[in-house]
């Protein structure tokens, strides 16, 4: 290692020699493989094989010399490292296809069965070769023509700038970002769906949810409200209107108890202020107002809602009890 | 006399044979779009009308038909009504030369590709007339953007198709498909992969689809050239847009994916297994794949900015095709095709 590191010129020459040698070797190998063994059926592109072999040979030589140089100089692939590894991966794939192809050609028994696959492989092979060549040349040219200028202050900055530029170029060439984006959405497509099918399924509601208002009764059926008008006083939206009179049995009761749903902001202050726990906010919130005037909840309606929601209210309170 | 009548009846029947399946496909394409969009966003999508929402497109169509057709007071009434009709006619006329299986084509004309080009370019008139006749600034902007975009991308698309014409030596769709016979590795997709990518991108731009739907850009110009349209007018534009997308997919599958050719031809085992499949099925599958790709792209990428769009068209796509075409020529020369 030291030896080669001290003599960069020699290493350079050696790399070039290896490049030329392995290129020619592989070219000859591919050519002989194609020409000496007579395929029973026509190969895919009869006259492109030479061309094919040339590109394969060049790529192969290039990859070997690349790897060799970095091994000899013991330098990690630093500048364009991500793409360097991508290149190596492509080379690996290419190598595999090449091997498969050769095995295929030399094995006569399997030939009939595997030939179509061989065709596919040879096509991909060509493709990978071109891709590798292009990537490699872009990287080499990038290192050569856009080197990081060595000024004292901003070497690192410039380096990263050039690196970004190169990476952007290669990414753009391979439409890398687009493919990752598509992959991302493809992944989400098979995720579990988060839809809640509303009328059939409902979102869980907190026991403290402040929804529709209601008036409660005692278990014996007597309404709780004592017409103290605290709720009317506390209501920040002035949604409550109460009129009261003495009932025949002498107790004070409301004669009118209207809540305007349009004004009410569901703050729940009325519930908090009520001394007899009469007015409450229930967890019911799926309601509609179909006609004008329906938005006024009269006393009867409020009591009816209270009757309806009593079991739910009791349950909510029980659930909430530990936290009160 | 009877002969002529018979001939006319035959022509009408032929037209219906194209029209009805295309319209049904378009209807379900809209549903597919909604479904795929929903799936990509982790939702379920339309599933209330009919079994799993299968009747949704018809419900939508009924809704559109029931709506009032509103014409802005200042709009140019003749042109205003004409624009959607032009759009939808040209979108459907293109289907006349699309072969779905050997011999299954209404008009097997020699210059099919040229015809398609001419007809889809005419479709741009629908857009620009709509923009002009609506007498609204948003519609005008939308139409202008659409025009600029279609003109710039048509060049790159033309170049992409030139590659196919060079390789096959024909402008007839049936010939082009026949030239790709013999399994998946004979498709023009492989030698022309960059051109295929260019074609797909241009196809998206031509049909004003995201990420190139500047002509509609909801955020800036509401709905672009169709902002003043409601009811049937809107439906026709919608229909023409989706018919165009399907047309682009069909052309893509014919030119690059081998049309009705089975991908497994000449593959020992699979080829035998899939021999019974009718050839139309392959064509339909490939077209649907392309159509799915278009939807998929739409729900993945955000919209391009206008200058980015122009830059991509002129500075990336056209040079790519210009580089690849000589390479294709060289390839043909070397391979002696
Ligand atoms: S919830 Fe608030 S706004 Fe509504 S009636 Fe009670 S106090 Fe008034
Ligand atoms: S605070 Fe309670 S008791 Fe007093 S008026 Fe209001 S609902 Fe009736």
């Amino acid at each position: 290692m030291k030896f080669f590191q001290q003599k960069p010129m020699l290493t350079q020459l050696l790399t070039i020699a290896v490049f030329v040698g392995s290129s020619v070797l592989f070219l000859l190998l591919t050519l002989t493989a194609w020409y000496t063994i007579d395929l029973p059926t026509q190969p895919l592109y009869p006259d492109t094989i030479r061309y094919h072999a040339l590109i394969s040979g060049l790529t192969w030589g290039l990859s070997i010399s690349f790897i060799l140089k970095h091994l000899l100089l013991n330098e990690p692939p630093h500048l364009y490292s991500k793409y360097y590894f991508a290149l190596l991966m492509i080379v690996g794939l290419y190598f595999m296809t090449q091997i498969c192809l050769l095995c295929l050609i030399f094995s006569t028994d399997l030939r009939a069965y595997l030939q179509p696959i061989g065709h596919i492989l040879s096509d991909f092979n060509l493709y990978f070769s071109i891709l590798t060549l292009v990537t490699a040349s872009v990287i080499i040219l990038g290192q050569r023509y856009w080197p990081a200028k060595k000024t004292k202050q901003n070497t690192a900055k410039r380096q990263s700038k050039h690196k970004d530029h190169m990476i952007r170029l290669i990414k753009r060439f391979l439409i890398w970002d687009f493919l990752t984006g598509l992959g991302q959405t493809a992944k989400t497509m098979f995720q579990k769906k988060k839809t809640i099918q509303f009328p059939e399924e409902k979102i869980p509601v907190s026991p403290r949810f402040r929804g529709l208002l209601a008036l409660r009764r005692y278990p014996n059926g007597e309404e709780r409200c004592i017409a103290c008008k605290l709720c009317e006083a506390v209501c920040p939206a002035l949604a409550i209107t109460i009129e009261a009179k003495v009932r025949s049995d002498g107790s004070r009761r409301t004669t009118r108890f209207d809540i305007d749903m349009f004004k009410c902001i569901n703050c729940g202050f009325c519930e908090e202020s009520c001394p007899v726990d009469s007015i409450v906010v229930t967890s019911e919130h799926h309601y509609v107002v179909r006609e004008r005037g329906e938005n006024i909840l009269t006393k009867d309606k409020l009591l009816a809602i209270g009757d309806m929601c009593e079991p739910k209210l009791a349950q909510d309170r029980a659930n909430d009890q530990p936290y009160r | 006399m009877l002969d002529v009548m018979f001939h006319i009846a035959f022509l009408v029947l032929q037209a219906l044979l194209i029209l009805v399946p295309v319209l049904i496909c378009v209807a379900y394409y809209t549903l597919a779009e909604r479904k795929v969009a929903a799936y990509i966003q982790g939702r379920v999508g339309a599933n209330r009308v009919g079994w799993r929402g299968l009747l949704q497109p018809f419900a939508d169509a009924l809704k559109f038909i029931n709506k009032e057709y509103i014409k802005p007071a200042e709009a140019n009434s003749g042109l205003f009504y004409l624009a959607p009709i032009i759009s939808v006619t040209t979108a459907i006329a293109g289907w006349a030369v699309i072969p779905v299986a050997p011999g299954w084509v209404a008009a097997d004309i020699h210059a099919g590709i040229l015809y398609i080009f001419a007809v889809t370019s005419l479709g741009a008139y629908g857009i620009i007339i709509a923009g002009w006749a609506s007498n609204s600034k948003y519609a005008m902007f939308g139409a202008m953007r659409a025009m600029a975009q279609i003109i710039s991308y048509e060049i790159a698309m033309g170049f992409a198709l030139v590659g196919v014409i060079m390789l096959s030596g024909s402008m007839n769709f049936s010939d082009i498909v026949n030239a790709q016979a013999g399994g998946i590795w004979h498709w023009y997709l492989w030698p022309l992969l960059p051109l295929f990518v260019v074609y797909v991108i241009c196809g998206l731009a031509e049909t004003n689809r995201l990420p190139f739907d500047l002509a509609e850009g909801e955020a800036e110009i509401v709905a672009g050239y169709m902002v003043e349209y409601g009811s049937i007018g809107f439906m026709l534009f919608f229909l023409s847009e989706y018919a165009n997308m399907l047309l682009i997919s069909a052309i893509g599958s014919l030119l690059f994916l081998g049309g009705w050719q089975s991908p497994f031809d000449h593959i020992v085992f699979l080829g035998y297994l899939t021999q019974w499949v009718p050839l139309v099925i392959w064509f339909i599958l490939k077209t649907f794949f392309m159509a799915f790709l278009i939807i998929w792209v739409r729900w993945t990428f955000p919209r391009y900015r206008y200058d980015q769009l122009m830059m991509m068209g002129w500075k990336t796509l056209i040079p790519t095709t210009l580089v690849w075409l000589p390479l294709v020529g060289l390839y043909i020369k070397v391979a002696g095709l």
Side-chain angles (χ1 to χ4, degrees), chain A residues 96-301:
Chain A
M96 263 160 51
T97 53
Q98 199 64 271
I99 298 255
C100 290
L101 199 67
L102 285 179
C103 292
L104 178 70
I105 290 163
F106 286 120
S107 72
T108 37
D109 299 339
L110 286 175
R111 189 192 290 154
Y113 283 97
L114 293 180
Q115 205 176 12
I117 304 173
H119 278 169
I120 298 178
L121 285 184
S122 69
D123 258 24
F124 274 108
N125 180 359
L126 182 70
Y127 220 79
F128 279 132
S129 311
I130 294 175
L131 205 63
T132 322
L133 265 188
V134 171
T135 324
S137 43
V138 168
I139 288 177
I140 291 171
L141 287 179
Q143 279 175 340
R144 198 171 173 77
Y145 290 111
W146 292 292
K149 267 189 199 145
K150 283 190 185 105
T151 52
K152 266 174 196 155
Q153 305 96 346
N154 51 2
T155 311
K157 203 174 158 193
R158 268 167 186 277
Q159 243 173 8
S160 77
K161 206 174 162 190
H162 286 293
K163 182 175 155 191
D164 284 355
H165 183 75
M166 282 305 301
I167 288 176
R168 272 229 301 279
L169 209 73
I170 298 167
K171 269 191 173 178
R172 209 150 142 199
F173 180 73
L174 299 174
I175 50 171
W176 181 254
D177 295 335
F178 287 81
L179 296 180
T180 45
L182 286 176
Q184 184 59 44
T185 41
K187 250 188 283 169
T188 26
M189 227 180 284
F190 297 105
Q191 271 174 7
K192 202 167 169 296
K193 303 286 164 278
K194 297 180 180 70
T195 303
I196 287 161
Q197 305 271 345
F198 166 59
E200 292 95 31
E201 303 168 17
K202 281 176 188 160
I203 309 172
V205 172
S206 155
R208 294 183 187 178
F209 189 89
R210 302 196 298 267
L212 198 57
L213 290 144
L215 285 175
R216 292 177 70 210
R217 294 175 196 274
Y218 288 111
N220 65 4
E222 176 66 280
E223 57 183 290
R224 283 180 182 239
C225 178
I226 50 172
C228 71
K229 300 200 180 183
L230 276 176
C231 53
E232 187 183 24
V234 82
C235 177
L238 305 181
I240 306 179
T241 315
I242 298 173
E243 282 164 17
K245 252 186 193 163
V246 180
R247 210 167 57 177
S248 51
D249 61 358
S251 64
R252 204 161 59 121
R253 296 293 161 184
T254 54
T255 52
R256 177 174 170 216
F257 197 114
D258 288 351
I259 295 179
D260 189 342
M261 268 159 46
F262 288 174
K263 285 186 184 169
C264 173
I265 54 171
N266 297 83
C267 63
F269 284 178
C270 47
E271 171 172 347
E272 276 174 39
S273 68
C274 183
V276 290
D277 210 4
S278 165
I279 189 164
V280 286
V281 279
T282 66
S283 57
E284 185 58 46
H285 59 292
H286 298 307
Y287 54 86
V288 285
V289 177
R290 286 202 184 77
E291 265 167 45
R292 189 175 298 176
E294 255 183 39
N295 56 316
I296 308 289
L297 291 177
T298 57
K299 188 179 172 184
D300 297 339
K301 280 192 198 169

Side-chain angles (χ1 to χ4, degrees), chain A residues 44-45 47-48 51 112-117 119-120 123-124 126-127 130 172 175 177-179 181-183 185-186 188-195 197-200, chain B residues 36 38-40 42-45 47-48 184-186 190-191 193-194 197 266-268 292-293 296-297 299-301 304 311-312 315-316 324 330-331 334-337:
Chain A
L44 178 55
Y45 303 116
D47 295 325
T48 49
Y51 178 56
Y113 283 97
L114 293 180
Q115 205 176 12
I117 304 173
H119 278 169
I120 298 178
D123 258 24
F124 274 108
L126 182 70
Y127 220 79
I130 294 175
R172 209 150 142 199
I175 50 171
D177 295 335
F178 287 81
L179 296 180
L182 286 176
T185 41
T188 26
M189 227 180 284
F190 297 105
Q191 271 174 7
K192 202 167 169 296
K193 303 286 164 278
K194 297 180 180 70
T195 303
Q197 305 271 345
F198 166 59
E200 292 95 31
Chain B
V36 173
Y39 271 60
I40 284 180
R43 298 185 282 117
V44 176
N47 67 347
R48 292 280 151 176
I184 191 167
W185 58 90
H186 283 262
W190 305 118
L193 191 60
V197 174
H266 298 292
I267 289 182
V268 179
F292 174 72
L293 194 68
W296 188 10
V297 166
W299 294 101
T300 302
F301 302 119
Y304 265 61
M311 199 163 89
M312 177 151 166
K315 285 165 93 174
T316 310
W324 205 255
L330 207 73
Y331 177 79
V334 173
L337 287 174

